[in-house]
Amino acid sequence: MNARLERLPILILHPHNRCNCRCVMCDIWKTAEAKEIGAAELERHLADIERLQVKWVVFSGGEPLMHSDLFRLAAMLRARNIRLTLLSTGLLIKRYASQIARHLDDVIVSLDGPPEIHDNIRRVSGAFASLRAGLRALLEYRPEFPIRIRSTVQKLNCSHLRATAATARSLGANGISFLAADVTSTAFNRTEPWTILKQDEVAVTASDLPSLDAEIEALIREEDCGGFVAESPEKLRRIADRFRARIGLAEPVAPVCNAPWVSAVIEADGTVRPCFFHPPIGNVSAGDSLLQVVNGDRAADFRSNLDIATDPVCRRCVCSLHWTS
């Protein structure tokens, strides 16, 4: 694959760097200073966004709905026929339901299990009730609005995958995807990798694996895998293998992924990464344009030297992106 990019189909923006949950598997909520991508900053990048033929922008974070003027950013991108997806905790969806329905194309909402488990993992009282109310309000504005659920598998919910899928159906979602909790990288505002003791608080450990394996097999038998549940049976079983690899019971295997060649992540402070998990390749707040950063020497060298199959970050990665369009 080319080291210099002619096209960048997917751009992931962190409009706001803070979050309104206190999830056990994430440290973003510990961020003290609020930062956001302003309209003037986005305006500066629009020419490069067009030149790189961006087709899909994903608002991630942090919680994007904490941004002071998110829908102004959305309008600027929507005017260029770019698909817009919101990744959200769901806590603020009811407040902004009408704007979401008008300005965005779809939402992906985090769900950690049935109500009590979800609230326990989010460490926010009433989190599930707020999520449910928000999605109901959104569907009142646009009954056909696409809603997908993303669930992060970990110690506290690994025996409840079927209940999580059933809860997603009850919320009116079009589907659900599962992925293993990331506990080894420096993503999600971790200044240093977690200690083994901290990892064990969140990860599925050896004693939890039989329950997870049984739940995955039951999910495969009872659900439409590859349909409502996005993952195939093979991919669901890989979730357990991710946890096995962490404790030395299996070899870590990198997913099929081409993220560094088809996407980039811009964080609220201007930091640009090739994906969520690898180190930065530059910063667009330091005067460089988006095009200069994604095709700069640092980025080109990274892509030239990256062998996903053998790279230690990729081999431990819980996520994957394989864009073929």
Side-chain angles (χ1 to χ4, degrees), residues 148-159:
R148 290 174 288 155
I149 300 292
R150 179 170 294 167
S151 186
T152 302
V153 179
Q154 55 170 286
K155 180 187 292 290
L156 292 175
N157 65 9
C158 65
S159 299

Side-chain angles (χ1 to χ4, degrees), residues 63 213 223 228 271 286 324-325:
E63 170 54 60
D213 287 333
E223 277 289 352
F228 184 78
T271 297
T324 57
S325 299

Side-chain angles (χ1 to χ4, degrees), residues 35 37 54 119 121 130 139 152 164 171 190 213 269 292:
K35 296 181 180 179
I37 298 172
V54 173
D119 287 5
I121 290 174
S130 295
L139 290 174
T152 302
T164 305
L171 292 170
R190 298 170 193 152
D213 287 333
D269 66 354
Q292 287 172 325

Side-chain angles (χ1 to χ4, degrees), residues 5 7-11 258-264 321-324:
L5 303 181
R7 298 173 63 248
L8 189 74
I10 304 170
L11 186 61
N258 61 356
W261 291 271
V262 298
S263 69
L321 171 64
H322 190 62
W323 180 269
T324 57

Side-chain angles (χ1 to χ4, degrees), residues 115-128:
E116 184 176 351
I117 292 172
H118 179 79
D119 287 5
N120 189 27
I121 290 174
R122 296 271 135 181
R123 295 190 289 197
V124 173
S125 178
F128 179 82

Side-chain angles (χ1 to χ4, degrees), residues 101-114:
R102 289 199 309 271
H103 294 286
L104 302 179
D105 293 291
D106 60 312
V107 299
I108 300 173
V109 182
S110 298
L111 177 69
D112 297 308

